[in-house]
Amino acid sequence: MLSLEKRSRQVVGKVAAQAAARELLPSGLWSHDDIRDNFYYASYLYAAAEDPEIRVRFDRDEARATAIGVFGRVLELQDRRAGSGTYGHWPLELGDDPQSAEPDPLPIELMGSLMLYFVERCGDSLPPELQASFEAALQAVCDSRFYDRPLDKYDHHEAKHTAAKLLFGAYYDDAELLEDGRRSLKALLAHVEARGLHEYGSQPWFWHWVQAFTCVRLLLSDADITDDLKRMLDLLWSERSLHYIGGAWAGPHARQRSEDTPKDAGVAFDYLQYGDFRLPPQLKRAEYAGFLFYEAPEASRIAAMDRLVPVEVKKKILKPQPDGPDRELHSYTYLTDSYAVGGMWERSEEFDNEQHRWDVTLPLSYELGSAANQAYFIHPAPGQAEGDLRHSSPFEAILPDRGAVLALYPVPEGQDPSIVGVLPKGEWIREERALFGQAGGAYLAVYLRHGYEAEESDDRVTVRSAGPGGAVVIEASGIEEAESLDAEDLEGFADLMRGRAPDFGADGRSVAYRSLHSRRLELALGADGEPQAKIDGTAAAFGDYVK
């Protein structure tokens, strides 16, 4: 395994190479999709050009000049209009004419703090005129007071506001602002320690928590503040480690982007922390991972990378509700060295319905290449773009237990009841209502209540199953697990699993299955439509199942 220093330089060099290979648009930027990407790419390109320890295949002087030019264009797009309600802000989506794009409240939250970090670390080597531009931009960020909001939702936005108070309070020697940040940090830390993260398993939001507080930890020296920052970062990385499997993020997610499913592609932060998988040729959403690093507690890191002994992670999540008391959600994840199975027992409304309620997750591996490493089914929500299987309807009940998941899809009459699934590429045996496959170091058995059509593409197998009352059962097994049951290859695994087909209820409202762990799993919908689960004949109420 490479050292941390080498992994960091590897990430910086790889993202810099991606930036150097991109053509600048007539605007002087690489992208009009998200202004932050221009700042991130310029940071990597400049850092790689300045660091002789990083091997590059581009001209360093040209790269340095390109980065400086992009920095200048980004800074020019900041709103500096006196009296403007968005003073100090940047636009997010730049459109056809970046100069006329409207300021947005999002970029300043994280990019403002990371700009301060960049200036503190690299400012002395910048041309004087660019140094002055950065200083003017940072002053405008501070003067915007975007962070001047009380804690309310205890979410990633408020984490970034808290970090900005601390950073800019220290940078401008503003004792009152620094103290406000100190109070916010203590309150946010107490809340998270007592109640956990209600933005569960959400990579984009989680990494914003990590970046914001790592940035502060690396720049501030106040002992009281840094102690609280250590506690916060230890908590965040311990949470990450609970759901880590070979570069992938197992378990349910409150939010997922296209980089998160069906392939775990946003891996830069994990690579620096754990380093136990191969870095892919292209890095997506690396943001500032190559510059910000905080080493997780050793016990957490070791536990995350050692899954020889399977573990069950059961968590109760208190989800704030807009009009009423918090709702209890119950998360379950089972992790081995070759696969993980996880799910959220209850469904909740999440941001843009970009949630991922359950899946089987495989570690990232060379054998899988760029292919999907997740297996799951959904009943697609209306209006979902073709091929974007991130938005499920509310018509689903699940029972996750160890290597298996049982799922029912009670779609009301008048709506298309078809369910769609994603399976990783590998070797598959297809039968009338079942598929048996091997991908990486795991076998998968997939049982469907109705027939199906399967289509293989470059990175996945897509399965569509029509018919009312759809239902599916998936069980994963490690190769060594299967060998202990006398299944020596995929055909042997298929023979083993053919005789274990689940009992689907005639109306599609129930399913029973005996898993490879010899546990009798039952899931049914009551007269009121609420799911009822049993494990070995004992009712498994959601609130009792996960303490």
Side-chain angles (χ1 to χ4, degrees), residues 243 250-252 311-315 330-335 341-345 357-359 399-405 519 545-546:
H243 299 91
V311 296
E312 289 179 295
V313 177
K314 302 178 180 181
K315 298 187 71 75
H330 301 91
S331 167
Y332 175 87
T333 311
Y334 179 78
L335 302 106
V341 175
M344 184 69 71
W345 279 59
R357 191 171 168 197
W358 69 270
D359 70 20
L399 168 57
D401 183 77
R402 298 191 182 177
V405 178
R519 289 158 71 89
Y545 186 65
V546 180

Side-chain angles (χ1 to χ4, degrees), residues 2 107 123 154 169 182 191 206 217 257 291 323 407 457 491 534:
L2 295 175
Y154 296 87
R182 186 196 309 267
H191 182 93
F206 181 86
R217 178 67 181 84
R257 292 177 58 92
F291 305 109
D323 302 309
S457 57
E491 187 59 52
K534 291 183 179 180

Side-chain angles (χ1 to χ4, degrees), residues 109-393:
E109 284 189 348
L110 184 61
M111 192 170 74
S113 295
L114 298 182
M115 279 187 175
L116 192 154
Y117 179 86
F118 180 80
V119 168
E120 286 283 76
R121 289 291 184 259
C122 302
D124 290 345
S125 66
L126 295 172
E129 62 274 17
L130 187 57
Q131 291 185 38
S133 295
F134 267 117
E135 287 296 343
L138 292 175
Q139 185 67 63
V141 168
C142 187
D143 291 344
S144 75
R145 308 294 293 186
F146 79 92
Y147 45 76
D148 199 9
R149 301 179 185 179
L151 293 178
D152 177 34
K153 297 180 180 179
Y154 296 87
D155 61 6
H156 63 291
H157 296 294
E158 293 173 8
K160 290 180 283 187
H161 297 163
T162 299
K165 292 176 184 179
L166 294 167
L167 285 167
F168 287 95
Y171 189 69
Y172 289 111
D173 199 22
D174 185 332
E176 183 177 352
L177 180 57
L178 185 64
E179 185 58 32
D180 186 16
R182 186 196 309 267
R183 289 193 300 267
S184 292
L185 175 60
K186 288 185 178 296
L188 193 61
L189 177 61
H191 182 93
V192 172
E193 287 181 332
R195 301 165 63 84
L197 293 168
H198 62 80
E199 296 175 323
Y200 55 89
S202 172
Q203 286 99 314
W205 293 341
F206 181 86
W207 297 131
H208 284 190
W209 279 79
V210 168
Q211 289 174 95
F213 289 122
T214 304
C215 185
V216 186
R217 178 67 181 84
L218 293 175
L219 293 182
L220 266 62
S221 58
D222 181 291
D224 179 57
I225 293 175
T226 55
D227 181 65
D228 284 342
L229 289 168
K230 181 180 185 303
R231 288 169 56 193
M232 176 66 83
L233 288 166
D234 284 354
L235 184 153
L236 291 171
W237 278 109
S238 294
E239 178 73 15
R240 173 67 192 103
S241 294
L242 285 175
H243 299 91
Y244 178 83
I245 174 174
W249 192 314
H253 307 303
R255 189 190 180 201
Q256 55 182 347
R257 292 177 58 92
S258 57
E259 297 89 355
D260 306 325
T261 188
K263 165 75 173 181
D264 284 88
V267 300
F269 296 94
D270 284 333
Y271 182 73
L272 285 179
Q273 186 69 258
Y274 305 105
D276 63 339
F277 61 94
R278 291 181 60 170
L279 203 60
Q282 294 289 311
L283 285 176
K284 297 183 178 181
R285 290 192 68 80
E287 295 187 341
Y288 248 48
F291 305 109
L292 303 174
F293 186 77
Y294 177 86
E295 190 169 53
E298 184 178 12
S300 296
R301 287 186 291 108
I302 292 174
M305 293 186 286
D306 180 8
R307 300 295 187 194
L308 291 178
V309 177
V311 296
E312 289 179 295
V313 177
K314 302 178 180 181
K315 298 187 71 75
K316 179 171 70 176
I317 295 166
L318 297 175
K319 189 74 175 179
Q321 302 299 299
D323 302 309
D326 293 346
R327 183 184 178 204
E328 285 191 2
L329 303 177
H330 301 91
S331 167
Y332 175 87
T333 311
Y334 179 78
L335 302 106
T336 74
D337 63 337
S338 53
Y339 67 88
V341 175
M344 184 69 71
W345 279 59
E346 306 90 347
R347 185 184 190 277
S348 68
E349 293 298 323
E350 300 292 354
F351 175 77
D352 279 358
N353 190 26
E354 291 180 351
Q355 58 184 296
H356 198 54
R357 191 171 168 197
W358 69 270
D359 70 20
V360 177
T361 301
L362 305 180
L364 301 181
S365 67
Y366 177 74
E367 289 79 8
L368 291 177
S370 61
N373 67 305
Q374 299 161 7
Y376 63 92
F377 279 79
I378 64 171
H379 174 252
Q384 184 160 248
E386 182 67 25
D388 181 8
L389 299 180
R390 294 183 298 143
H391 309 276
S392 62
S393 80

Side-chain angles (χ1 to χ4, degrees), residues 15-54:
V15 181
Q18 292 174 205
R22 298 188 65 160
E23 291 289 335
L24 287 173
L25 300 173
S27 64
L29 299 167
W30 285 297
S31 169
H32 289 185
D33 292 337
D34 188 329
I35 193 172
R36 295 171 296 188
D37 291 337
N38 293 283
F39 171 70
Y40 297 148
Y41 273 129
S43 299
Y44 280 101
L45 188 59
Y46 187 85
E50 288 287 300
D51 188 347
E53 296 295 319
I54 296 178

Side-chain angles (χ1 to χ4, degrees), residues 245 250 310 332 334-342 358-363 373-376 399-406 422-424 428 435-447 472-485 487 490 493-494 496-497 500 513-519 521:
I245 174 174
Y332 175 87
Y334 179 78
L335 302 106
T336 74
D337 63 337
S338 53
Y339 67 88
V341 175
W358 69 270
D359 70 20
V360 177
T361 301
L362 305 180
N373 67 305
Q374 299 161 7
Y376 63 92
L399 168 57
D401 183 77
R402 298 191 182 177
V405 178
L406 283 58
V422 171
L423 302 176
W428 287 95
L435 301 94
F436 307 105
Q438 179 180 354
Y443 294 121
L444 294 173
V446 182
Y447 306 96
V472 63
V473 171
I474 294 184
E475 181 157 25
S477 171
I479 290 177
E480 291 185 1
E481 287 181 90
E483 288 176 348
S484 71
L485 298 171
L490 176 57
F493 177 73
L496 172 68
M497 303 306 288
R500 310 181 71 91
Y513 177 68
R514 182 168 293 280
S515 72
L516 289 174
H517 292 266
S518 297
R519 289 158 71 89
L521 308 177

